[in-house]
């Protein structure tokens, strides 16, 4: 019993917070502001408890926890905490604050189970748990039509991908007779039906990660959903799926390595190029970030294609950095958008004139996304490329390296708008709330330090 | 000497600049930091030669090696040989001059100096790193400050130029990373980024043949390798004065140094394989650059195109693959860095007063700005290779080294390169004549001469130029052992 409590500690703490929020909601005894502070405090505690963990398996290997998995979970915890800080301006005014966090934490709970899953059944269940609440969250700008539209698109596409996933799982069970991650590798023999099943499984991952050609929902949902939800989708959801994707490919489908390697090569190139080309044309910052996040997934795929331990560590490291850099960008966009309602790139022209600090944070985060030193993003990208290059084709490496240049171009477009362009009507000085400030400080510190403090990567790589 | 000082001091200076309260403090901190750095660089030469004189024969001196990312075998490995010491001295001289020349920058002074110092730190780090990953890190650090400097404080079509420069340099560095990874994985089980280890282990000829072009072209873009030179004229002409000085004086040298230290030294067989390509391309750059300069009416464009021509000599020297030519290439890097920085500084001084850079709109400025015009003369004479200035020594060494190759192809290339000197003389003399001599325009009669800070900047650079021109031996002695090691590697000893 106590073993169960310890191994599932992270999940139990999150469940506890959800129930606490539920009771607070029922009691109706708290103002938004103090409730938000309480939630932030609880989430901070949640990050703190994530540093301790115990390894082990539960329920006949359905649920696993290792040091690596605990780290992955805590990266997600940290991301949720940062979102609660950075979205404070929008959240404070929202009349359904507890519900929002209940949904978000349910999704987080699903992701925790997802990463820990050791069985296709719990994998499917937790994937559902991690995506359905997000669709509800996408609808949280209650007066906006675009928000409902985003939710609709989200729920339809995720239902579609779940259907495909379920079909794939049933085919796998049909051909191998098992759904346990531990037993599957021995049972896979590469027959046509198994490869078909694998393709279905892969497709559902592609939906969640918005790998081209399954990326079409991304931009619309990102644009329509509230920014806090968009950042949750683009960082936390993506990160968790990327983690389990690696486990699935390396541990479960290792006998099919040649098959998935070639799929990864093609999809990675398609994803990088499509994301880049579309990002070039975007004016709305949220759409822009949607396509740029598609490109980032392309780079993650490049790293995953390496197929070694270095790839696993590079992806975890990259997601950690991505949490800091992408949330910082979304944070600035969210602060500006909730203060002025403006969120296109041309609105940010001459932003530096009145908002020096926000501009530097934004620039730092964009440079980190573009992979420019000395930010952590440089190390993240480089290690992905080093990991992927180990057994890559030369042309694949060259294409990936050149895509870095294209992505720099559009990140610089935003930097240029902020620092260089002229604007008769620049955004006024924005006062930043305390929790937003704290969030931005944590993000900036992460962007600067995670790369330069080399023990972070060293720790991840020895897991 | 602890080489970490070379990175630490600019870092401290940059932090100091950020924390300072007013413009006056910013300037003083930036100047103090860069002047101290110059003292450090001179001390480094002295200590370096002292060690050598004491008989320390190690290839690299003052080495330090810290494990950074052990699981990927990335180490923070730094050390210097004569070539890097020469480049560090060049950087320190140009940085001090650049800081002095920008004394009057009023727009966002703090940010301006911060970026300048950051750029300088990238260059120092690049020249001392002996680990390819760290070297690449510093190479890329220097790109973004350039972009912001040009885009924010530049003139003309600055956004376009800044974009073009950043993207072309990034494309160059992405080719470089492909080449570096080729070496990293090309060594079988023992994966290493360490320059010394890679040189000792040797890289298989097949890998060299495949990846040498990536590295050479990648670094070549930084140093205006034809046909990837197109960022040079736009970037230089749009940049603020100090930006142009840093670009031409330091940043283009990063490429030359990389071509030499990384591409040629680590992949000698690759260099031999492609040396005729390098010679052809650099000869084209030399001649094309010179003729294109003749057509320019704008002083900055003129100097930018002449930089393409002069940097061609660097690549030509490397491509010739003789000890003398490689020594000459490094000397040309130092010489051109100083000379072109001086040129851009003078152009900046003139522009600040006349508000034009068009040659035909000026005239007779010698009467009102005697000091500035004298400096312009010196820069011009150095550029056209007059004995007594550094340009002559460097180009002469390159030619002598090139001539050591006895076959017709190398000789013809050398002759073509020599011919460019005549063209250089034409455009330099014509431009100086039009700017300094002749009748003076009414509006220009009341212009003031250079102020103390500009005079000091020019004097520092001129001292460097003359010191090399009159007594080239110290620089030659400094560079030669390093060049010899590279040459031994090429000839397979």
């Amino acid at each position: 019993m106590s073993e169960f409590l310890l191994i599932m500690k992270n999940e139990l703490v999150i469940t506890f917070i959800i129930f606490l929020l539920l009771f607070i909601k029922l009691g109706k005894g708290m103002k938004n502001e103090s409730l938000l502070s309480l939630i932030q405090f609880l989430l901070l505690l949640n990050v703190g408890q994530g540093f301790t963990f115990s390894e082990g398996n539960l329920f006949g290997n359905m649920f696993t926890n290792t040091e690596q998995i605990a780290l992955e979970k805590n990266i997600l915890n940290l991301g949720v905490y940062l979102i609660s800080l950075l979205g404070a301006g929008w959240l404070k005014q929202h009349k359904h604050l507890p519900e929002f966090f209940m949904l978000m934490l349910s999704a987080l709970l699903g992701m925790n189970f997802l990463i820990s899953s050791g069985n296709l059944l719990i994998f499917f269940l937790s994937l559902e748990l991690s995506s359905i609440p997000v669709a509800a969250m996408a609808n949280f700008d209650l007066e906006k039509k675009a928000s409902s539209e985003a939710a609709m698109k989200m729920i339809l596409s995720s239902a579609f991908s779940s259907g495909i996933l379920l079909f794939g799982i049933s085919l796998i069970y049909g051909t191998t007779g098992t759904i346990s991650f531990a037993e599957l590798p021995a049972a896979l023999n590469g027959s046509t039906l198994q490869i078909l099943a694998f393709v279905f499984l892969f497709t559902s991952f592609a939906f969640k990660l918005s790998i081209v050609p399954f990326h079409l929902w991304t931009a619309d949902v990102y644009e329509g959903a509230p920014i806090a939800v968009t950042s949750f989708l683009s960082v936390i959801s993506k990160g968790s799926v990327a983690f389990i994707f690696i486990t699935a490919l390396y541990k479960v489908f290792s006998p099919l390595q040649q098959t998935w390697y070639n799929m990864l090569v093609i999809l990675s190139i398609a994803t990088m190029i499509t994301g880049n080309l579309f990002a070039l044309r975007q004016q709305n910052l949220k759409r822009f970030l949607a396509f740029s996040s598609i490109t980032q997934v392309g780079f993650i795929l490049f790293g995953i294609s390496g197929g070694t331990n270095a790839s696993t560590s590079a992806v975890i490291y990259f997601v950690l950095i991505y949490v800091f850099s992408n949330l910082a960008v979304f944070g600035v966009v969210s602060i500006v958008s909730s203060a002025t309602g403006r969120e296109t790139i041309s609105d940010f022209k001459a932003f530096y004139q009145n908002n020096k600090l926000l501009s530097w944070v934004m620039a730092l985060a964009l440079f980190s996304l573009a992979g420019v030193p000395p930010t952590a993003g440089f190390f993240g990208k480089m290690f992905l490329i080093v990991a992927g290059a180990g057994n890559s084709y030369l042309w694949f490496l060259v294409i990936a390296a050149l895509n870095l240049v294209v992505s720099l171009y559009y990140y610089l477009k935003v930097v240029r708008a902020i620092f260089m362009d002229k604007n008769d009507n620049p955004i006024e000085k924005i006062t930043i709330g305390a929790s937003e400030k704290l969030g931005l400080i944590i993000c900036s510190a992460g962007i600067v330090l995670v790369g330069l403090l080399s023990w972070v990567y060293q720790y991840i790589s020895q897991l | 000497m602890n080489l970490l000082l070379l990175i630490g001091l600019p870092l401290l200076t940059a932090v100091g600049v950020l924390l300072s309260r007013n413009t006056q403090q910013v300037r003083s901190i930036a100047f103090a930091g860069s002047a101290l750095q110059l003292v450090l660089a001179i001390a480094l030469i002295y200590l370096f030669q002292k060690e050598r004189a004491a008989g320390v024969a190690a290839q690299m001196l003052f080495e330090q090696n810290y494990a950074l990312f052990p699981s990927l075998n990335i180490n923070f490995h730094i050390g210097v040989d004569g070539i890097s010491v020469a480049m560090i001295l060049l950087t320190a001289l140009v940085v001090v001059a650049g800081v002095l020349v920008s004394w009057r920058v009023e727009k966002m002074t703090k940010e301006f100096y911060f970026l300048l110092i950051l750029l300088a730190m990238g260059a120092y780090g690049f020249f001392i790193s002996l680990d390819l990953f760290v070297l690449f890190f510093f190479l890329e650090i220097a790109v973004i400050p350039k972009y912001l400097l040009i885009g924010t404080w530049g003139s003309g079509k600055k956004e376009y130029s800044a974009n073009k420069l950043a993207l072309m340099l990034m494309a160059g560095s992405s080719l470089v990373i492909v080449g570096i990874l080729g070496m990293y994985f090309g060594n079988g089980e023992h994966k290493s980024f360490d320059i010394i280890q890679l040189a000792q282990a040797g890289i298989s000829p097949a890998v060299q043949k495949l990846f040498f072009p990536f590295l050479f072209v990648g670094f070549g873009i930084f140093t205006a390798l034809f046909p990837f030179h197109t960022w040079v004229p736009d970037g230089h002409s749009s940049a603020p004065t100090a930006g142009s000085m840093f670009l031409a004086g330091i940043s283009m040298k990063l490429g030359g140094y990389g071509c030499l230290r990384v591409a040629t030294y680590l992949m000698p067989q690759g260099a031999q394989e492609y040396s005729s390509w390098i010679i052809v391309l650099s000869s084209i750059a030399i001649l094309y650059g010179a003729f294109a300069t003749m057509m320019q009416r704008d002083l900055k464009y003129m100097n930018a195109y002449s930089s393409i021509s002069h940097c061609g000599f660097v690549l030509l020297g490397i491509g010739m693959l003789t000890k003398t030519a490689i020594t000459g290439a490094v000397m040309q890097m130092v010489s051109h860095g100083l000379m072109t920085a001086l040129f851009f500084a003078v152009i900046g001084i003139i522009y600040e007063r006349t508000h034009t850079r068009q040659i035909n709109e000026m005239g007779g400025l010698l009467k009102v700005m005697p000091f500035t015009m004298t400096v312009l003369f010196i820069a011009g004479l150095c550029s056209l290779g007059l004995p007594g200035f550094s340009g002559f020594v460097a180009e002469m060494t390159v030619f002598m080294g090139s001539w050591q190759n006895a076959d017709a192809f190398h000789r013809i290339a050398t002759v073509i390169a020599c011919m460019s000197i005549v063209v250089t003389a034409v455009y330099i003399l014509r431009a100086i004549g039009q700017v300094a001599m002749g009748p003076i325009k009414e509006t220009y009669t009341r212009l003031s001469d250079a102020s103390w800070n500009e005079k000091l900047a020019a004097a520092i650079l001129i001292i460097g130029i003359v010191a090399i021109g009159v007594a080239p031996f110290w620089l030659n002695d400094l560079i030669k052992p390093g060049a010899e090691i590279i040459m031994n590697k090429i000839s397979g000893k």
Side-chain angles (χ1 to χ4, degrees):
Chain A
M1 185 60 191
S2 66
E3 190 200 15
F4 158 78
L5 284 177
L6 282 174
I7 294 176
M8 286 185 65
K9 175 175 57 74
N10 204 3
E11 288 74 12
L12 292 173
V13 170
I14 295 171
T15 319
F16 171 75
I17 300 178
I18 295 174
F19 274 97
L20 196 68
L21 289 178
L22 187 62
F23 289 128
I24 290 173
K25 174 72 189 170
L26 293 175
K28 283 186 181 175
M30 276 182 106
K31 276 194 192 145
N32 255 1
E33 299 230 345
S34 43
L35 180 57
L36 185 61
S37 312
L38 174 70
I39 292 173
Q40 285 167 352
F41 179 68
L42 288 173
L43 290 176
L44 179 62
L45 286 186
N46 186 30
V47 176
Q49 64 80 21
F51 283 102
T52 63
F53 58 90
S54 27
E55 301 184 324
N57 297 315
L58 288 175
F59 318 127
N61 289 339
M62 271 182 143
F63 184 95
T64 4
N65 201 19
T66 62
E67 191 171 354
Q68 194 175 21
I69 289 176
L71 174 72
E72 292 172 350
K73 285 177 181 172
N74 213 26
I75 293 176
L76 304 183
N77 287 346
L78 175 71
V80 170
Y81 172 60
L82 287 174
I83 290 176
S84 78
L85 290 176
L86 292 167
W90 175 75
L91 289 167
K92 258 182 229 162
Q93 297 154 13
H94 205 284
K95 54 183 171 185
H96 297 296
L97 180 65
E99 285 93 334
F100 182 82
F101 275 100
M102 274 186 257
L103 287 170
M104 193 191 287
L105 288 171
S106 308
L108 180 65
L109 185 64
M111 287 163 194
N112 276 305
F113 278 111
L114 183 68
I115 300 173
S116 276
S117 54
N119 180 307
L120 283 174
L121 183 66
I122 195 160
F123 166 73
F124 177 75
L125 287 176
S126 54
L127 195 66
E128 288 302 282
L129 181 57
S130 73
S131 51
I132 293 172
V134 182
M137 279 155 68
N139 198 12
F140 252 64
D141 257 345
L142 298 170
E143 316 75 48
K144 281 194 193 151
K145 219 169 152 187
S147 185
S148 330
E149 187 191 322
M152 202 63 204
K153 280 184 176 149
M154 171 97 209
I155 196 80
L156 284 178
S157 66
S158 79
F160 186 56
S161 83
S162 302
I164 293 177
L165 174 63
L166 214 46
F167 193 19
I169 290 176
S170 58
L171 283 181
I172 284 180
Y173 185 62
T175 54
T176 62
T178 175
I179 50 171
S180 154
F181 282 4
E183 291 163 19
L184 266 170
L188 288 170
N189 55 20
S191 69
T192 320
L193 204 54
Q194 281 177 4
I195 288 182
L196 184 67
F198 174 67
V199 169
F200 282 149
L201 229 72
F202 198 103
T203 307
S204 78
F205 276 119
F207 258 111
K208 300 286 179 214
L209 284 171
S210 37
I211 296 170
V212 173
F214 306 102
H215 66 291
L216 294 164
W217 60 275
T218 319
D220 291 340
V221 172
Y222 277 29
E223 190 187 6
I227 295 177
V229 181
T230 310
S231 46
F232 183 80
L233 261 175
S234 82
V235 179
I236 320 284
S237 294
K238 289 259 171 72
S240 64
V241 179
F243 293 148
I244 187 67
F245 191 40
I246 293 181
T247 317
L249 290 185
Y250 290 5
K251 299 221 171 97
V252 185
F253 291 98
S254 49
L256 305 179
Q257 176 156 13
Q258 203 46 50
T259 314
W260 59 250
Y261 179 72
N262 290 331
M263 284 165 82
L264 281 179
V265 171
I266 297 166
L267 292 177
S268 164
I269 292 174
T271 309
M272 280 189 276
I273 293 180
T274 314
N276 268 338
L277 291 184
F278 279 87
L280 287 175
R281 309 285 308 158
Q282 300 307 319
Q283 264 305 311
N284 181 295
L285 266 172
K286 277 151 84 182
R287 280 187 89 84
F288 165 83
L289 287 168
F291 284 107
S292 93
S293 81
I294 291 177
T295 311
Q296 307 278 1
V297 168
F299 285 112
I300 292 183
L301 293 188
F302 182 86
I304 293 178
S305 75
T308 55
N309 281 339
S311 307
T312 316
S313 1
V315 171
I316 297 176
Y317 186 63
F318 184 80
V319 171
L320 172 65
I321 294 162
Y322 193 59
V323 165
F324 288 122
S325 15
N326 218 17
L327 286 185
V329 177
F330 274 118
V332 175
V333 176
S334 149
I335 290 169
V336 172
S337 157
S338 70
T340 64
R342 294 157 77 172
E343 52 187 43
T344 69
I345 293 181
S346 48
D347 287 335
F348 272 81
K349 281 183 180 171
F351 185 59
Y352 188 66
Q353 211 169 311
N354 295 328
N355 297 284
K356 292 214 159 43
L357 218 56
L358 281 180
S359 302
W360 281 118
V361 173
M362 183 86 164
L364 193 68
L366 288 171
F367 287 143
S368 181
L369 287 177
V372 174
T375 59
F378 169 79
F379 295 96
K381 281 258 167 72
M382 281 307 127
F383 293 159
L384 278 182
I385 286 184
V386 171
N391 65 352
S392 127
Y393 306 112
L394 179 59
W395 51 268
F396 186 27
L397 175 61
V398 174
I399 290 176
L402 289 179
N403 266 295
L404 279 175
V405 185
V406 182
S407 65
L408 180 73
Y409 172 73
Y410 55 76
Y411 289 122
L412 283 184
K413 231 171 72 173
V414 183
V415 173
R416 172 178 158 179
I418 292 175
F419 287 94
M420 300 171 195
D421 285 344
K422 292 191 176 55
N423 191 351
D424 300 331
N425 179 22
I427 292 173
E428 294 295 311
K429 174 129 190 78
I430 296 169
T431 39
I432 316 167
S435 50
E436 281 109 325
K437 210 175 254 173
L438 178 62
L440 289 181
I441 289 172
I442 296 176
C443 288
S444 315
I447 292 170
V448 176
L449 294 180
V450 170
L452 295 179
L453 299 177
S454 59
W455 57 263
V456 178
Y457 180 76
Q458 234 15 72
Y459 170 71
I460 295 174
S461 71
Q462 49 88 22
L463 291 179
Chain B
M1 185 168 154
N2 193 338
L3 289 179
L4 285 175
L5 278 177
L6 286 176
I7 321 172
L9 187 62
L11 199 64
L12 269 181
T13 317
V15 173
V17 165
L18 275 192
L19 296 180
S20 54
R21 299 243 177 84
N22 53 42
T23 321
Q24 196 54 45
Q25 272 184 15
V26 171
R27 283 180 196 144
S28 347
I29 290 175
F31 176 64
S34 51
L36 211 57
Q37 189 88 0
L38 180 59
V39 174
L40 269 184
I42 293 170
L44 177 65
I45 292 190
Y46 173 73
L47 291 172
F48 181 86
Q49 291 296 41
K50 204 169 128 190
E51 291 269 303
R52 281 279 187 249
V56 181
Q59 187 188 350
M60 295 290 166
L61 293 186
F62 311 119
E63 273 186 79
Q64 293 185 54
N65 200 345
Y66 307 100
L68 204 59
F69 299 102
S71 56
L72 296 173
N73 200 5
I74 294 171
N75 301 303
F76 190 78
H77 186 186
I78 53 177
V80 285
D81 69 350
I83 298 177
S84 3
V85 171
M87 303 312 291
I88 288 166
L89 177 69
L90 163 72
T91 311
L93 284 169
V94 175
V95 172
V96 177
V99 166
L100 279 171
V101 162
S102 329
W103 213 253
R104 295 224 191 113
V105 170
E106 295 294 343
K107 181 184 170 194
M108 299 196 258
T109 321
K110 193 188 269 189
E111 289 87 341
F112 182 82
Y113 277 108
F114 175 73
L115 292 172
L116 276 191
I117 305 285
L118 197 65
L119 176 48
M121 192 191 80
Y124 289 121
F126 182 84
F127 290 133
I128 61 174
S129 19
L130 294 177
D131 184 281
L132 291 173
F133 189 88
V134 179
L135 179 126
F136 184 72
F137 173 81
F138 283 116
L139 178 71
E140 286 221 319
I141 273 197
V143 173
I144 292 303
K146 285 175 221 165
Y147 172 80
L148 291 172
L149 278 173
I150 296 176
T152 315
W153 290 270
S155 56
K157 40 176 187 170
K158 52 183 181 162
E159 288 93 355
Y160 166 80
S161 308
N163 247 333
K164 190 170 179 179
L165 171 130
L167 293 178
M168 286 193 74
L169 295 189
M170 271 312 245
S173 51
S174 71
L175 293 180
V176 168
I177 193 66
V178 172
I180 289 178
L181 288 177
M183 288 196 276
Y184 180 69
F185 287 108
N187 240 357
E189 278 309 294
H190 183 71
K191 300 187 179 70
S192 173
F193 283 113
D194 195 292
I195 292 182
I196 307 297
Q197 281 178 23
L198 282 172
Q200 274 165 3
I203 294 161
S204 73
V207 174
Q208 293 195 19
K209 241 169 133 174
L210 187 58
F211 287 100
F212 181 82
F214 282 99
L215 278 174
F216 201 88
V217 172
F219 281 121
I221 293 178
F222 279 80
T223 187
L225 170 72
F226 184 86
F228 306 103
H229 62 280
T230 51
W231 65 270
V232 179
D234 290 317
H236 286 72
S237 59
S238 299
T241 304
S244 311
M245 291 168 69
F246 276 40
L247 263 183
I250 303 171
S251 170
M252 284 173 83
K253 306 303 172 282
L254 300 182
Y257 181 85
C259 283
L260 191 60
R261 169 80 74 218
V262 181
T264 310
Y265 177 49
L266 293 182
M267 300 191 168
Q269 280 143 305
Q272 279 169 331
E273 177 85 20
Y274 294 98
S275 86
S276 48
W277 281 96
I278 302 173
I279 292 171
V280 168
L281 288 180
S282 53
S283 304
I284 295 175
I286 291 172
L287 213 56
Y288 162 80
F291 277 111
T293 316
M294 278 183 49
M295 301 305 294
Q296 303 306 318
R297 294 285 166 266
D298 180 306
L299 275 175
K300 265 198 169 178
Y301 269 103
M302 195 189 103
N303 200 26
Y305 274 104
S306 87
S307 287
I308 297 175
S309 170
H310 283 119
C311 281
F313 285 111
V314 177
L315 295 177
L316 184 75
I318 295 172
M320 285 295 176
L321 299 181
T322 65
K323 189 171 87 185
T324 319
I326 288 177
T327 313
V330 179
M331 289 179 96
Q332 172 72 357
M333 279 199 260
V334 178
S335 150
H336 173 255
L338 294 173
M339 171 196 88
T340 201
L342 183 64
F343 228 124
F344 276 120
V346 179
I347 295 169
I349 298 173
I350 298 174
Y351 177 72
E352 209 165 86
R353 289 162 177 78
T354 61
H355 301 290
T356 178
R357 296 195 306 246
Q358 298 300 319
I359 296 173
N360 51 14
E361 288 176 17
M362 290 180 235
L365 293 181
L366 187 58
K367 288 177 195 116
V368 285
M369 309 163 71
F371 181 87
T372 316
M373 287 304 125
T374 316
V375 176
L376 184 65
F377 273 123
I378 293 174
L381 294 179
C382 178
S383 175
L384 61 78
L386 194 77
F389 295 114
S390 60
F392 170 76
V393 178
E395 282 169 20
M396 202 59 206
T397 318
V398 173
F399 292 144
M400 272 163 44
S402 310
W403 202 254
Q404 284 169 2
N405 292 305
D407 58 309
F409 171 70
H410 289 87
R411 292 263 156 109
I412 291 172
T414 316
V415 170
I416 290 176
C418 283
M419 271 158 46
S420 80
I421 293 185
V422 184
V423 187
T424 312
V426 172
Y427 65 72
I428 292 283
L429 293 177
R430 200 176 58 187
I432 293 181
Q434 283 191 6
V435 172
M437 315 293 193
I440 187 162
K441 272 196 183 174
E442 190 60 31
T443 40
Y444 294 155
T445 47
R446 248 169 278 226
L447 295 181
S448 59
D449 204 352
S451 55
W452 68 270
N453 54 299
E454 291 158 342
K455 281 182 182 162
L456 188 55
I460 288 170
L461 292 171
I462 290 174
I463 290 173
I465 290 173
V466 175
I468 299 170
V470 176
F473 313 107
W474 63 273
L475 187 63
N476 201 19
D477 290 347
L478 197 62
I479 296 167
K480 218 165 203 166
E484 205 164 280
I485 289 172
I486 295 175
M487 207 43 231
N488 287 342
K489 193 92 169 79
I490 293 168
S491 51
K493 275 180 206 160

